[in-house]
Amino acid sequence: MNTLISQRIVSPLGDLYVCASTRGICLLEFAGTQRITRESRQLERHFGCPITLGENEHTRQTAAELGEYFAGTRRDFTIALHPVGSDFRQRVWAALRAIPYGTTTHYQALAATIGHPAAVRAVAAANGANAIAILIPCHRVIGKNGALTGYGGGIHRKAWLLAHERGEDKHSTQPLPL
């Protein structure tokens, strides 16, 4: 039987909502965004069960590793992930996970990385469909011209995450005003 467990995690960027199956994390979103409701419903349909409040080993590990990430002591995550999406999206999300901490790329380069250099728009759509913020670091994708592009959690959070990863401590050690 499928089980989906959700838990709230406090962060400097505001509360995060994490949801895990028995296999791993399938949702990590910022509280207060419209994405949570839509993505939660999609997960319930996909897994055929409701999301219940609680915790499991995956949500506890996520809370611990995110705490280390925000404290500046973790750069890579070891949490089991269970993203839900097409094969194409899975390839894009795997490529996102390969972007090194503190660096950025752009959609065209990401499309080339997965072997589909002409699929820039599809790669951008897959990036936007990522339901596992931070752990699948879609915030590391910026415009080819270096400009910050859209982010489901808000551009202000994307800017904060990138500054944090660049070690701009004066910026990233203070909670983000919401």
Side-chain angles (χ1 to χ4, degrees):
M1 182 173 150
N2 292 324
T3 304
L4 292 172
I5 301 293
S6 69
Q7 177 180 336
R8 180 178 62 98
I9 298 173
V10 177
S11 87
L13 296 172
D15 290 348
L16 289 158
Y17 174 75
V18 62
C19 181
S21 69
T22 54
R23 288 182 39 200
I25 300 303
C26 45
L27 176 69
L28 180 64
E29 285 291 354
F30 295 99
T33 63
Q34 295 179 2
R35 296 171 58 99
I36 291 174
T37 302
R38 176 177 40 85
E39 291 169 347
S40 295
R41 287 183 184 145
Q42 287 172 343
L43 287 175
E44 288 176 332
R45 279 192 305 274
H46 177 81
F47 287 101
C49 65
I51 297 172
T52 59
L53 294 176
E55 58 183 53
N56 66 15
E57 67 273 13
H58 303 300
T59 64
R60 284 188 295 274
Q61 183 180 358
T62 300
E65 289 191 17
L66 282 174
E68 294 165 357
Y69 169 83
F70 287 120
T73 60
R74 176 174 290 278
R75 292 174 168 229
D76 299 304
F77 296 102
T78 62
I79 301 158
L81 300 182
H82 190 184
V84 174
S86 67
D87 288 343
F88 180 82
R89 287 182 174 181
Q90 296 286 348
R91 288 199 317 273
V92 171
W93 298 335
L96 289 170
R97 290 187 76 196
I99 302 168
Y101 178 95
T103 65
T104 58
T105 192
H106 53 81
Y107 297 117
Q108 187 175 20
L110 200 57
T113 297
I114 66 164
H116 293 280
V120 176
R121 288 183 187 205
V123 165
N127 189 67
N130 173 30
I132 305 176
I134 304 171
L135 306 179
I136 298 178
C138 56
H139 63 275
R140 295 180 187 154
V141 180
I142 61 173
K144 191 173 180 181
N145 63 359
L148 294 185
T149 54
Y151 185 62
I155 291 290
H156 59 294
R157 287 189 176 108
K158 182 175 190 163
W160 193 100
L161 289 165
L162 293 173
H164 174 70
E165 291 185 5
R166 287 190 306 262
E168 296 173 7
D169 291 335
K170 65 182 171 110
H171 178 77
S172 64
T173 57
Q174 298 298 315
L176 184 69
L178 299 175

